[in-house]
Each structure stands twice: as C-alpha cells, then as structure tokens.
Amino acid sequence: MSGGVRRAAVLGRPVDHSLSPVLHGAAYRALDLPGWTYERIDMDDAGLPAFVDGLGPEWAGLSVTMPGKRAALAHAAEATPRARAVGAANTLVPGDRGWRADCTDVDGVVGALRCAGGFTGGGRAVVIGAGGTAAAVVVAAAELNLTSVALVVREPARAAETTEAARRVGLDVEVLRWSDVDVAALAAGADLLVSTVPSEALTADFEALAGVPCVLDVIYHPWPTPLAQAVTARGGRIATGLDMLLHQAFGQVEQFTGRAAPREAMRDALREATGGEVPLPLD
C-alpha cells in the first residue's frame, strides 16, 4: 500500500545525527506521497523487539542503525539471504508472515564502488577494520566477484564475525594484524581497498594505500579525509560512506513504497544537507 497515511522511521542510538530522514523525505515528496512520514526514534538493541511488535498497520518500514542491526535480524520472521550472510539487518518491512529483514547496506557498498569508485569487479580486496560495516563490505565484495579478502585489524580475535560473513559468501579470507603489515606490499596486491576506520587509526602511509586501483573510505566527515586527498592527488577515484548511505537508501525506499526510488531527488537532497562537498555520482 503506497497511498494514505503511512509511517516509517530510523531506529538507533544515537540517532539524532542520522541523515536518513533527509533521503526518505525527499523520496516521498518526489513520489507524491503526502501522507507519508519518516522520523528518528532513539532505540537500543534491547528495546527493539518490543517496539517493533507494538507497531500498527500504518507502518511501511523501518531503517535500523547501530546498535540494533543484529537484534533486527534475530527478531524478524524471515530474512533475505544477504542479511543472513552479513549477520545483521538495516531494513525491516512488514509482510503477511511478520517483519522481513534485509541488509541494503550491501547495495550501499556495491553502488558506491560502481558509481563513485568506478569499480568493475574481480580480484582481491583489502578491508581495514572488522566492525559491522566490514561484514556488509565482504558480502558486497562477493557480489562484485572478488575472490579473496584480507582483513587488517588491530586485534585478530575481533574479526571473527566479519570472517564468518566472508566465508558464508565463499570468499577466501586472511586476517592480518595491523602492526605486522607491510603496507606497500599489501596495497600492491590489492584490487580494492576499503577503510572502515577513522582516519587517525590509519598510521600507515596514505600514499601507498592510495595506489590501490579502487578505494572506498567509509568516513566522510570531515571531508576530504587524508586518504581521499591522497587518492585524488594521484588522479584516482574515491568512494565514500556518503555514497554508501545514498545507495543503501534507494533499496529501502523501494521496499517501503513499492515504487522505484527517485535517485536524483534523493541525491540532490543529501548533497544540499551535507554542503555539497562530496560529489555523489549516480553513474
């Protein structure tokens, strides 16, 4: 149902900074859905199940950010294969059997790499960091036909969940301790580099990392990051977390409304809300 009064929201803690209302609001206006609303709701993982169970039929869908993504997957009546592969869900949509979980974060990574990064697929990925974002990255890497991934982390024991996500989608995975890595050699053997950590955590040579053919830095504020500056100085293409945010929202809007996402309207709204510093290409 796309007409009439319909509600959607993003759940998270903290959630005040979320740009999802900018994207969804722009989409609903462009789709001429005046009865649709989208709000921010402060919610932790423990409170998510009871909150979701108490929602009425006017609810079209929920976006879920940290710390509730794993709780969203666990509580859903059904889940898409990619949400199960990631081990977390950023999207909940009501259905006949109950709430269905999906992870459009995978779309976010794929879209950012193809549109902003110019990545055509294949080869070996290097992922710095192994948090929740990294799990979506490795599932996206499999979709982009990469065959192996190196996870570079401060503490290998903390990479277990991302390692399992990689194995679930058939990627060969190697876990490397950051302090033991030869950065130049690592970069030379990579077709894709994804950094999921703050810039200050990258104590290695940005110039070496910037030499990887395709780079995604999930950090976008403040912009440009040192890694983005190094990539740009070499004439490379850099994809960002803002590109990821935009592309993951397209799938959510389509699942909530049942209609094609108005991509240009959403991109323009996000660009305006963030000052226009990140280019946000759509193709």
Side-chain angles (χ1 to χ4, degrees), residues 64-81:
V64 183
T65 188
M66 297 302 291
K69 292 185 178 183
R70 296 191 184 281
L73 177 64
H75 189 65
E78 55 184 326
T80 62

Side-chain angles (χ1 to χ4, degrees), residues 149-223:
V149 59
L151 299 176
V152 185
V153 295
R154 288 181 180 269
E155 178 47 63
R158 300 181 64 182
E161 291 177 346
T162 303
T163 299
E164 285 305 307
R167 289 173 175 159
R168 280 193 287 266
V169 292
L171 287 181
D172 291 333
V173 58
E174 179 182 16
V175 180
L176 304 173
R177 188 185 298 273
W178 181 246
S179 59
D180 298 336
V181 166
D182 179 332
V183 176
L186 182 73
D191 299 281
L192 168 66
L193 170 73
V194 181
S195 174
T196 69
V197 300
S199 296
E200 55 268 24
L202 293 177
T203 56
D205 184 0
F206 288 112
E207 294 300 322
L209 296 174
V212 178
C214 183
V215 178
L216 166 59
D217 187 349
V218 305
I219 305 300
Y220 57 85
H221 182 78
W223 180 262

